Amino acid sequence: MKDFSLDIYRELLEALLAKGYKLISYRDYVMTSCRNDETSKSRKEEEKFVILRHDVDAKPGNSLKTAQIEKSMGARATYYFRIPEVTKGGQKGPSGMSYPEIVRAIVKLGHEIGYHYEDMSLCGGDVEQAWGHFKTWLEYFRQYYAVETICMHGAPRSKWDSKDLWKGYDKETGKNYDYKELGVIGEPYLDTDFSDVFYLTDTGRCWDGYKVSVRDRIPGYQEEWSKKGLNWHTTHELIKAIEEGKLPKHVMITTHPQRWTNDSIAWWKELVLQNLKNIIKGLIVG
Ligand SMILES: [Zn+2]
C-alpha cells in the first residue's frame, strides 16, 4: 500500500481505534482540558485520545475525502482553512465543487472548522492592519461555522511568523491583541499542554520532517520526544508503533490533506515536489 494515500490514512485511524484512542477535534480537547475538577483530571489521565488536526493549505477537495473517511469511523476532526483558497471563491475545483460548498459539506459531516491565519504575511508585516484583517476573516468563516479555534499557517517561505500578530497591541489601552476576546477558545500552538500531548505532523511528507521545518515544530519538547525514540518516518512505521503500543496516550496529529490521495498522478506529483522542497529547506536550515 502506498504511503500518503487515502487507504493508508484509513488504516492509520483504524489502528488508533483498535488501540482504544478516541479521535477528537481540537475544540473537544480544549473543552475537556480546561475543566480542572478531579473527575475530569483522572479521566483525562486514563483516557487515550488523538486530536485530528488538518491544515487545508491547498486542494480543499482532498479534505472532503478525509472528512468522509473520518465520519464513517465516528471520528470528529478539525479543518483549518486559509484565505488564499477562499478567494478562489465560487470557482469550481477539480472535484466539481466550489470552495464554500466544500466547507459546508465538511461542516455537515460534523467536523470542526477553524481559521488557518497568516494575516501578518498577507499584510506585509503591518501588525495593526493584520489585526483588522484577522477580525474580518474570522467573521467570514463564521458564516459557515461558529469558529472557536484558530491555527497559524506556518508559511515557511514568508519572513513573518503568523503568531507575531499576538505581539501587537492597542495603542490606546496598551493591551495585546487577544483572540480570546473574540470568542476564540484555542490555538493549537499556544493553548496545548505539550508536556502532556505528543505532537506529530506530516510536514515534509513524512512524520519526522520537524528536522527540516522552520515553524511547524514544538520548541523545547521535540528534542525530548526524539530522545525517547518517538520518531517515525513513514506511515507504515507509525502504524506499527501504534500496534506495538509505543504511541503516547495523548497525541495531536496534523495532516495536510492535499498530500493524501489515491489518484496516481497527483500522488507522484506530490512526492516529487515535496522531495524538491525538502532539499531546498535542508539547504536553508543546514
Ligand atoms: Zn498551513
Side-chain angles (χ1 to χ4, degrees):
M1 190 184 291
K2 272 191 205 156
D3 204 351
F4 296 98
S5 60
L6 291 171
D7 294 333
I8 202 161
Y9 184 65
R10 182 187 290 275
E11 208 162 279
L12 170 66
L13 299 189
E14 274 166 3
L16 290 167
L17 288 173
K19 279 284 170 186
Y21 284 90
K22 266 178 83 179
L23 305 178
I24 63 171
S25 67
Y26 189 61
R27 179 189 180 274
D28 291 339
Y29 164 75
V30 178
M31 292 306 278
T32 45
S33 67
C34 64
R35 271 178 45 205
N36 267 330
D37 53 278
E38 278 310 301
T39 359
S40 87
K41 219 176 127 200
S42 67
R43 208 196 64 212
K44 245 188 323 187
E45 277 158 20
E46 284 163 35
E47 204 175 66
K48 289 192 198 170
F49 64 78
V50 172
I51 302 159
L52 293 178
R53 176 184 134 201
H54 300 287
D55 291 357
V56 186
D57 284 2
K59 297 187 188 165
N62 281 28
S63 293
L64 185 53
K65 297 206 175 124
T66 52
Q68 283 159 342
I69 292 173
E70 287 153 352
K71 167 77 177 175
S72 74
M73 301 175 92
R76 186 158 56 213
T78 302
Y79 286 83
Y80 290 110
F81 285 93
R82 287 173 74 192
I83 297 172
E85 282 297 326
V86 184
T87 45
K88 289 179 187 163
Q91 208 178 307
K92 304 271 180 192
S95 60
M97 286 171 88
S98 71
Y99 184 94
E101 280 167 351
I102 291 167
V103 176
R104 285 206 175 96
I106 294 177
V107 170
K108 228 173 153 189
L109 292 169
H111 299 297
E112 182 194 11
I113 301 292
Y115 175 27
H116 199 33
Y117 67 97
E118 52 188 311
D119 309 85
M120 284 298 278
S121 301
L122 296 173
C123 297
D126 181 329
V127 72
E128 224 177 290
Q129 202 191 328
W131 174 233
H133 194 266
F134 174 85
K135 289 191 282 190
T136 305
W137 283 93
L138 179 65
E139 280 314 306
Y140 172 86
F141 284 104
R142 281 179 168 164
Q143 326 168 57
Y144 303 109
Y145 183 85
V147 174
E148 286 178 287
T149 74
I150 55 167
C151 179
M152 68 118 186
H153 169 57
R157 282 177 297 275
S158 166
K159 59 176 168 174
W160 290 285
D161 184 326
S162 305
K163 296 194 295 312
D164 283 346
L165 177 55
W166 315 118
K167 290 181 187 157
Y169 58 88
D170 186 314
K171 289 216 176 72
E172 274 171 35
T173 61
K175 268 175 67 185
N176 278 92
Y177 299 141
D178 184 359
Y179 50 81
K180 295 205 168 150
E181 282 175 12
L182 305 174
V184 171
I185 58 171
E187 207 286 8
Y189 290 94
L190 303 169
D191 298 299
T192 306
D193 177 6
F194 287 110
S195 66
D196 178 53
V197 177
F198 168 61
Y199 184 65
L200 273 173
T201 170
D202 70 352
T203 293
R205 204 178 176 282
C206 55
W207 295 102
D208 51 4
Y210 56 85
K211 291 171 191 162
V212 289
S213 170
V214 189
R215 295 200 176 110
D216 192 9
R217 58 198 337 269
I218 312 298
Y221 292 102
Q222 208 83 62
E223 295 71 21
E224 214 177 295
W225 293 328
S226 293
K227 269 188 232 151
K228 282 189 191 156
L230 301 172
N231 282 315
W232 303 287
H233 186 65
T234 66
T235 311
H236 299 91
E237 287 169 19
L238 174 59
I239 291 172
K240 195 166 165 267
I242 295 165
E243 288 168 350
E244 289 170 353
K246 290 181 182 158
L247 193 74
K249 276 187 187 168
H250 301 159
V251 187
M252 181 192 294
I253 296 184
T254 296
T255 62
H256 296 78
Q258 79 254 26
R259 301 183 199 292
W260 298 76
T261 177
N262 276 353
D263 176 297
S264 277
I265 295 169
W267 187 91
W268 278 105
K269 223 172 123 186
E270 184 60 34
L271 172 78
V272 172
L273 279 177
Q274 192 58 56
N275 282 348
L276 282 174
K277 279 192 211 161
N278 286 355
I279 293 167
I280 294 164
K281 277 192 203 167
L283 292 177
I284 295 168
V285 176

